[in-house]
Amino acid sequence: MRLIGYLRVSSSTQLDGYGLNVQQRECREWCARNDHRIVKWCRDEAVSGTLDASERTGLAEALDGIASHHNGRTAEGIIMGKLDRLARSLTVQEATLALAWRAGGRVFTAADGEILQDDPDDPMRTAMRQMMGVFSQLERTIIVGRLRAGRAEKALQGGYAFGSPPFGTHSVDKELAPHDQEQQTLARIQELHSAGKSIRRIALILNEEGRPTKRGVQWHPTTVSRALARAID
């Protein structure tokens, strides 16, 4: 079966080490074991799992690849490392799964295999899936609480206390300062945008030029959009 691989990281994801490379490797290994083929990768970098599908470029693209099946769709389903990559909120999880199933697609995770659709003769199937969503949402709430507590303590000590510094800056002596290399990349993004290049084209050019993102991974439309907003701001 042809599948679209979906990857997502957010600020909270970095705490458990479940980054893009790990997710991608797990998806590939699961597909190899189960005779499936990943035909496309879609990703959302530094995007919260509480956002709806319409607010996530990568997820929307993955769902569109399934929905266009009857007109020659890209794939028959989606594969991700864990179900919490799809959502960190139960309501978002259920709404997104419904979109995928309504389009005739199937949903898989490397951790648990296929996420089966509701069956009126098997109510436990729905209950167990939703319980997973509840615990994922609880885990996120706990992580956010720990982050807030840590930032509050850091702020009391006079340090920069708002997570990873925005692209184009870094922390020097507990204060934000311009990051020379990233400032050059911001200028390049603005130059390409002014020249009429699309967000997707800018991402391709930045990768071809070997310009790193804040986390050292490849550029994607989502990260370009965020950096462009900062360059224009």
Side-chain angles (χ1 to χ4, degrees), residues 9-81:
V9 292
S10 65
S11 56
S12 60
T13 307
Q14 303 308 308
L15 294 180
D16 58 23
Y18 199 49
L20 294 175
N21 292 338
V22 176
Q23 295 173 45
Q24 191 171 51
R25 183 180 70 250
E26 290 182 354
C27 290
R28 281 175 171 160
E29 291 175 351
W30 185 88
C31 285
R33 291 194 303 270
N34 292 275
D35 198 29
H36 296 308
R37 180 166 59 96
I38 298 176
V39 296
K40 182 177 182 179
W41 291 101
C42 296
R43 63 188 73 196
D44 287 311
E45 185 179 345
V47 175
S48 171
T50 63
L51 295 177
D52 292 338
S54 61
E55 300 178 84
R56 289 191 248 167
T57 304
L59 182 55
E61 184 180 0
L63 291 172
D64 183 64
I66 293 176
S68 59
H69 169 58
H70 299 296
N71 295 315
R73 74 179 173 186
T74 303
E76 289 78 47
I78 301 176
I79 172 72
M80 65 208 75

Side-chain angles (χ1 to χ4, degrees), residues 158-196:
Y160 176 71
F162 301 98
S164 177
F167 189 81
T169 66
H170 60 162
S171 180
V172 178
D173 296 329
K174 299 182 180 181
E175 298 292 340
L176 286 182
H179 187 293
D180 291 342
Q181 184 181 35
E182 292 179 0
Q183 287 291 330
Q184 292 174 12
T185 299
L186 285 176
R188 179 61 170 152
I189 291 173
Q190 196 165 18
E191 175 189 3
L192 293 169
H193 182 258
S194 298

Side-chain angles (χ1 to χ4, degrees), residues 75-115:
E76 289 78 47
I78 301 176
I79 172 72
M80 65 208 75
K82 299 176 182 177
L83 190 56
D84 65 8
R85 298 306 88 201
L86 190 69
R88 281 281 199 172
S89 164
L90 177 60
T91 55
V92 174
Q93 170 187 294
E94 293 300 292
T96 307
L97 287 171
L99 286 173
W101 291 331
R102 193 177 303 130
R106 296 167 67 180
V107 180
F108 301 87
T109 71
D112 300 300
E114 184 169 9
I115 307 300

